[in-house]
Amino acid sequence: MPRDHRPGTRIRVLLAEDQGMMRGALALLLGMEEDIEVVAQLGSGDGIVDAVLTHRPDVALLDIELPGMSGLDAAAELRDQAPDCRVLILTTFGRPGYLRRAMEAGAAGFLVKDGPVEELAAAIRRVLTGETVVDPALAAAALSAGPNPLTPREREVLTASVDGATVADIAGKLCLSESTVRNYLSSVIGKTRTRNRAEAVREARQQGWL
């Protein structure tokens, strides 16, 4: 079990969610559970690691798409800096690629937001016992979808092109030659079976590969 959590003590939860209304509702509903206490709330991802180190929650409940650092990147950092904190990803985007990346980042669970709060509270308790909790339908979809075909470098180049950056811009940002950037983008377009960069970005996001 994480740290000194013992049966009978309240489970300390950190909540990171960028939508204020959703964050407040989740905190209120979870706080109504007799054995759960929300000790920190964040609206962006950049402060997650520092908040975990400060408040030392048993479980970090993270959205994926957050301003600044994503929930998936935060999960990977917490795996190294706060290994006793169990990470549970809660997202609107039930995409197989996101599930695979969450598990690779060390998350203990992955749930979509349309479930009842009782189910979420039960998942929080279960991850503390060492279980991995994953939405069943999403787990089946992930198995049928296969692995992410994009390499880390291809994902990095494609992410850098999201806002319409030129090849020269991407090359300068990533310290690559322009021809290398073009080769990576060409490979990504081929792997995503799309016609151009913009379509590749949309497809990669839809699949949860970015």
Side-chain angles (χ1 to χ4, degrees):
M1 283 190 180
R3 301 190 188 98
D4 60 351
H5 182 77
R6 298 176 299 276
T9 63
R10 301 194 81 185
I11 301 169
R12 296 170 59 82
V13 173
L14 174 143
L15 174 60
E17 160 65 53
D18 64 328
Q19 297 183 24
M21 187 175 295
M22 173 68 75
R23 184 171 65 250
L26 282 173
L28 178 63
L29 291 171
L30 289 174
M32 295 173 68
E33 299 288 324
E34 292 184 358
D35 59 340
I36 294 177
E37 177 184 6
V38 178
V39 297
Q41 300 180 46
L42 294 91
S44 66
D46 291 336
I48 289 174
V49 175
D50 285 343
V52 166
L53 295 176
T54 298
H55 297 281
R56 298 186 64 77
D58 301 300
V59 177
L61 186 60
L62 310 180
D63 192 6
I64 289 180
E65 296 197 353
L66 294 166
M69 180 181 291
S70 74
L72 296 177
D73 290 336
E77 288 207 16
L78 291 175
R79 177 185 54 197
D80 298 329
Q81 298 193 41
D84 290 336
C85 179
R86 302 283 278 172
V87 173
L88 184 58
I89 299 293
L90 182 66
T91 181
T92 303
F93 305 101
R95 297 168 182 167
Y98 279 160
L99 172 57
R100 287 183 176 274
R101 289 172 59 195
M103 296 299 102
E104 290 170 358
F110 193 107
L111 297 174
V112 291
K113 292 179 182 177
D114 59 0
V117 70
E118 293 82 7
E119 191 174 289
L120 175 59
I124 289 172
R125 299 182 187 105
R126 288 171 61 192
V127 297
L128 275 184
T129 69
E131 287 188 56
T132 298
V133 182
V134 177
D135 179 90
L138 187 56
L143 288 174
S144 63
N148 186 342
L150 306 182
T151 67
R153 195 54 147 171
E154 287 170 345
R155 292 200 299 270
E156 187 178 22
V157 169
L158 190 59
T159 298
S161 73
V162 165
D163 295 325
T166 66
V167 168
D169 292 335
I170 299 169
K173 180 178 180 180
L174 302 181
C175 299
L176 299 171
S177 70
E178 293 186 23
S179 61
T180 298
V181 169
R182 290 191 183 93
N183 288 338
Y184 278 126
L185 290 174
S186 177
S187 177
V188 167
I189 290 169
K191 288 181 177 181
T192 55
R193 299 180 180 180
T194 53
R195 295 173 297 179
N196 53 52
R197 220 197 305 177
E199 289 185 4
V201 169
R202 284 196 296 271
E203 178 65 16
R205 281 179 164 172
Q206 180 63 35
Q207 296 296 332
W209 294 337
L210 282 186

